[in-house]
Amino acid sequence: MTDPVLGKDYLMRLILALLLPWLQFFTIGRPFAGIICLFLQVTVIGWIPAAIWSVYALSQYRTDQKLAAARRG
């Protein structure tokens, strides 16, 4: 079984965050941010900020997952 914090799951989400930033928000359970990101991504200039925001949100999600795993023991 792949560890969702450190495994291939993270790499797939990172690729998704760069290619389709709005969709990545839905995979981490933030649909409202995904909708806002989609509107930002629709503009050509907004694609880069959307990708940066998505990668940042993914790093925060990963940190939250690590903290939850540490609390469980």
Side-chain angles (χ1 to χ4, degrees):
M1 187 154 129
T2 305
D3 182 13
V5 177
L6 301 172
K8 293 180 184 177
D9 184 48
Y10 178 73
L11 180 62
M12 294 295 286
R13 287 178 194 230
L14 183 61
I15 292 170
L16 187 64
L18 294 174
L19 297 178
L20 296 171
W22 64 273
L23 188 58
Q24 189 273 135
F25 280 104
F26 285 95
T27 68
I28 64 173
R30 296 181 58 192
F32 185 70
I35 293 169
I36 293 172
C37 188
L38 177 62
F39 288 125
L40 181 62
Q41 187 179 343
V42 168
T43 65
V44 175
I45 296 171
W47 188 287
I48 300 297
I52 292 170
W53 180 28
S54 184
V55 170
Y56 175 74
L58 181 60
S59 71
Q60 292 298 315
Y61 174 76
R62 185 176 183 195
T63 301
D64 292 343
Q65 293 296 314
K66 285 182 180 179
L67 289 173
R71 286 187 192 124
R72 283 181 294 218

